[in-house]
Amino acid sequence: MSLSKEMKPVAVDLVEAVQMSATPQPIVSPLSEAEVRSIRADFPVLSQQVNGYPLVYLDNGATTQKPQAVIDRMTRFYSEEYGTVRRGVYALSAKATEAFDQVRSQVAQFLNAASEKEIVFTRGTTEAINLVAFSLGNVLLKPGDQVLISGLEHHANIVPWQEACARTGATLVVIPVLDDGSLDQTVFEGLLSPQTKILALTHVSNALGTVNPVAEMIERAHAVGAVVLIDGAQGAPHMSVDVQALDCDFYAFSSHKVYGPTGVGVLYGKYNLLEQMPPYQTGGDMILSVTFEKTTFAKPPARFEAGTPAIAEVIGLGAALDYVTSVGLDRIALTEEKLRQEATDALSGLPGLRMIGTASQKSAVLSFYLDYAHPHDIGTILDQSGVAVRAGHHCAQPVMQRFGVPATARASFSFYNTSDEITRLVSAIGEVRRIFTGSV
Amino acid sequence: MTQSGSHASDLYQQVILEHNQKPRNFKVLETANAYALGKNPLCGDQFAVYVSVSDDGTIEDIGFQGMGCAISKACASMMTTQVKGKTKVDALQLKDEFQKMLLGELNETTEAHHLGKLTMFSGVKQYPVRVKCATLAWHTLEAALEGKASEISTE
């Protein structure tokens, strides 16, 4: 299942370069304060008070809030357009099917997939990874083979592969994490071998924010013939993703982390691979014909979408992608990078604060530990000031073990967050210090 | 959540913070004849509770080890000071009363109870997600005294 790679041109033609510079490109800039204010007004949840203070929502790594456009789109769909998809001959069903299919094309465009046939709707990133680990894992892996993952993975990109290895006799191998929270690329290269059948790697670490050099790692894994799955749950919401440029074989993300509803996710897979994979779940909608003697399965993506899908959620995902696309993924990335730098500067100087994850390439995720208070106490006290952060192991216990902490507090930002909110976070951490140490 | 009116400093009273910083009976009890390990898989907190119970069912000595948040550690510490010298039966009754107070099923100001100093944790009931922190050591003690399981989980 290895994939041949075409050589890329090494130098840009001079004439082409001149022509490129002659057409002025719009300058991509972070969102202005006024733009952020206007964006915040699109998210009804953000305007509420919590414990007497305006909410500062900094748990975007867990899930993101929903813009009114997504809520309205789903309400309108349920109020006016709802029907089942791919079955009814009546107008409602035809209309729902059309809207549903349109989102598949939209997702393909969002990821720059070659075809909408490469987009499978799942319940989320977790189900997408389970689908590949089960379906591809069962046909590809045999004793002696290796599945390579990294020490930064979320449990959702560990456990399905552990189980696939247990079923097939393959071995799970882990790329170690360096002290700054980046992956040890030297060890990674040493681990790659013809036995490496699958590399399952997170695009961005949910616990630390490390952005992995996925393009380079995919290329190296392909060189030994491995199939590569990228867990994009923390990637797709924060940067523009081009699956063809990355050349990944699979890319998974969740709607609810990209401002859409819960209950739906996306698996991108190269068609030639999807075509070779058996179904993960079976039932209605994924068949060509059924008799009691034999069933033939539909082609992908239908083969992997047994049962009535999360129709309204898919429609909602479409509205969410419209929303982030209209803001612009490049502007989102720049805005969040600015927040990351500001927040890192503001937190780094605080006494007793240890930042976990300091890689040079990071998304706006700040995981920290206070030497005077447990993360849960931090979470409770911050909440009393209206500041919502995550406290715990972030479903990444091996990352916590690597850094010798039971848990961390994690502030994860979205483009709708502001500098004022960073000030509120810092002041709330000051309150933790006051309560626990008596000093101000 | 409706927590308006409550303040973090009501929850984190000085005595609680002091027990967190200097936990009492924070030791492995070599003479223990009852033991259990309690875990909260949601947050990774865990405490081991060691008890030395006499033939007539009195808790002669008790120790605990482990790690957790200030609430769980202070609760474990104060639990050890409160149950030492009590009978198993009385200790388990105290556990029930403590749990009921945190779940809002026992009003510690109007109803009869044996909680004594433990009422200082009544503020935890304003924080439903933290009740498991406060009861972790008590569940572990119960498991140790009843000898049914050497390891328990809050989930």
Side-chain angles (χ1 to χ4, degrees):
Chain A
M1 287 199 179
S2 68
L3 300 133
S4 64
K5 279 184 58 63
E6 286 176 27
M7 291 293 288
K8 284 176 186 162
V10 287
V12 180
D13 182 78
L14 186 63
V15 178
E16 197 185 318
V18 170
Q19 281 170 344
M20 278 165 67
S21 64
T23 13
Q25 293 292 309
I27 298 163
V28 180
S29 58
L31 296 163
S32 70
E33 278 183 33
E35 283 174 308
V36 173
R37 264 199 304 279
S38 148
I39 281 168
R40 290 181 67 82
D42 294 336
F43 290 80
V45 161
L46 297 180
S47 62
Q48 72 185 283
Q49 304 266 312
V50 170
N51 294 321
Y53 297 93
L55 167 66
V56 176
Y57 184 75
L58 297 178
D59 198 15
N60 297 288
T63 197
T64 51
Q65 299 299 339
K66 316 306 170 198
Q68 193 64 49
V70 168
I71 301 166
D72 287 350
R73 182 66 192 100
M74 291 178 76
T75 306
R76 185 156 55 87
F77 182 70
Y78 273 131
S79 313
E80 299 168 17
E81 304 165 34
Y82 183 72
T84 193
V85 290
R86 301 194 291 245
R87 292 189 190 86
V89 292
Y90 47 91
L92 265 184
S93 174
K95 204 172 168 189
T97 305
E98 193 188 327
F100 185 87
D101 288 343
Q102 196 271 325
V103 179
R104 200 186 300 276
S105 308
Q106 202 186 338
V107 173
Q109 207 176 355
F110 183 71
L111 295 176
N112 193 34
S115 155
E116 75 274 4
K117 290 179 189 163
E118 298 182 316
I119 303 301
V120 179
F121 288 122
T122 64
R123 282 193 298 135
T125 305
T126 297
E127 191 180 52
I129 296 171
N130 273 279
L131 189 164
V132 178
F134 188 89
S135 172
L136 183 73
N138 284 2
V139 293
L140 184 64
L141 298 172
K142 55 184 192 307
D145 288 343
Q146 294 183 348
V147 175
L148 194 53
I149 63 170
S150 90
L152 287 174
E153 301 309 314
H154 185 283
H155 296 164
N157 205 26
I158 301 174
V159 188
W161 300 112
Q162 269 176 340
E163 292 297 302
C165 287
R167 282 193 303 273
T168 61
T171 309
L172 191 70
V173 179
V174 184
I175 308 163
V177 180
L178 297 172
D179 288 345
D180 67 353
S182 64
L183 293 179
D184 190 327
Q185 295 296 328
T186 313
V187 175
F188 165 61
E189 287 184 32
L191 289 173
L192 287 170
S193 76
Q195 280 69 52
T196 314
K197 290 296 187 286
I198 295 172
L199 169 65
L201 180 68
T202 191
H203 193 169
V204 177
S205 155
N206 75 305
L208 307 183
T210 312
V211 180
N212 286 320
V214 284
E216 291 81 355
M217 294 178 77
I218 291 164
E219 196 173 349
R220 296 199 191 283
H222 280 167
V224 297
V227 172
V228 184
L229 174 139
I230 301 296
D231 170 356
Q234 303 289 336
H238 305 292
M239 61 190 80
S240 107
V241 173
D242 181 336
V243 290
Q244 293 190 77
L246 287 177
D247 198 28
C248 55
D249 301 295
F250 298 96
Y251 193 97
F253 74 93
S254 295
S255 158
H256 75 96
K257 291 196 206 289
V258 64
Y259 309 94
T262 52
V264 64
V266 167
L267 173 68
Y268 157 82
K270 281 182 181 164
Y271 198 77
N272 67 331
L273 288 172
L274 290 176
E275 230 179 355
Q276 298 174 58
M277 287 160 53
Y280 167 53
Q281 292 178 347
T282 52
D285 264 350
M286 49 74 67
I287 51 87
L288 286 178
S289 69
V290 177
T291 66
F292 286 120
E293 288 71 38
K294 186 173 171 54
T295 294
T296 51
F297 303 124
K299 286 183 160 47
R303 185 186 298 167
F304 302 105
E305 295 180 358
T308 300
I311 306 171
E313 286 76 10
V314 166
I315 303 293
L317 168 62
L321 295 184
D322 275 340
Y323 188 86
V324 292
T325 308
S326 74
V327 176
L329 264 300
D330 291 343
R331 297 196 75 195
I332 287 174
L334 280 176
T335 307
E336 292 176 354
E337 171 57 14
K338 202 170 143 229
L339 288 164
R340 182 187 74 80
Q341 287 175 13
E342 262 183 62
T344 305
D345 289 348
L347 262 58
S348 298
L350 298 178
L353 186 143
R354 175 183 167 204
M355 196 73 78
I356 315 271
T358 51
S360 59
Q361 298 299 307
K362 266 189 74 175
S363 71
V365 171
L366 275 66
S367 227
F368 61 92
Y369 192 80
L370 299 177
D371 61 16
Y372 50 83
H374 187 279
H376 280 164
D377 300 313
I378 301 171
T380 292
I381 297 170
L382 262 51
D383 184 53
Q384 286 302 298
S385 308
V387 179
V389 298
R390 176 83 180 268
H393 52 58
H394 318 296
C395 296
Q397 286 180 357
V399 177
M400 301 296 113
Q401 290 151 14
R402 165 65 179 81
F403 288 92
V405 291
T408 69
R410 181 190 71 179
S412 52
F413 292 81
S414 153
F415 57 91
Y416 51 51
N417 291 121
T418 65
S419 303
D420 286 349
E421 292 183 314
I422 295 172
T423 309
R424 291 270 309 281
L425 170 66
V426 169
S427 131
I429 294 172
E431 176 70 1
V432 180
R433 184 167 149 79
R434 192 189 63 73
I435 289 175
F436 272 81
T437 70
S439 44
V440 283
Chain B
M1 290 223 282
T2 52
Q3 294 172 6
S4 44
S6 60
H7 295 285
S9 42
D10 295 343
L11 177 64
Y12 294 99
Q13 294 176 39
Q14 278 312 314
V15 185
I16 292 176
L17 293 171
E18 201 266 331
H19 269 268
N20 173 50
Q21 225 159 30
K22 298 190 189 97
R24 318 293 194 269
N25 303 304
F26 196 64
K27 62 187 178 188
V28 177
L29 199 63
E30 301 295 347
T31 57
N33 53 13
Y35 161 85
L37 179 67
K39 290 182 175 177
N40 182 343
L42 293 185
C43 61
D45 288 357
Q46 62 174 53
F47 289 104
V49 172
Y50 308 83
V51 200
S52 170
V53 188
S54 71
D55 292 341
D56 68 355
T58 304
I59 296 173
E60 290 182 320
D61 202 358
I62 181 166
F64 82 104
Q65 287 272 281
M67 58 179 185
C69 61
I71 300 300
S72 62
K73 203 170 187 180
C75 269
S77 168
M78 204 169 295
M79 173 187 84
T80 61
T81 65
Q82 295 300 302
V83 300
K84 205 186 274 191
K86 284 201 167 60
T87 64
K88 264 167 72 168
V89 175
D90 288 348
L92 292 175
Q93 188 189 348
L94 206 53
K95 182 245 164 196
D96 284 341
E97 290 180 0
F98 186 69
Q99 192 173 1
K100 280 182 177 165
M101 173 180 76
L102 297 185
L103 296 174
E105 294 166 7
L106 183 151
N107 184 329
E108 74 280 3
T109 51
T110 58
E111 291 173 58
H113 59 76
H114 309 80
L115 290 165
K117 286 182 188 170
L118 294 172
T119 56
M120 76 175 61
F121 288 101
S122 71
V124 177
K125 67 183 163 209
Q126 303 294 327
Y127 302 82
V129 291
R130 303 299 301 276
V131 170
K132 280 179 185 166
C133 307
T135 52
L136 177 58
W138 287 93
H139 285 300
T140 314
L141 172 67
E142 182 182 39
L145 292 178
E146 293 186 339
K148 285 179 189 159
S150 61
E151 190 169 321
I152 58 127
S153 166
T154 55
E155 297 308 306

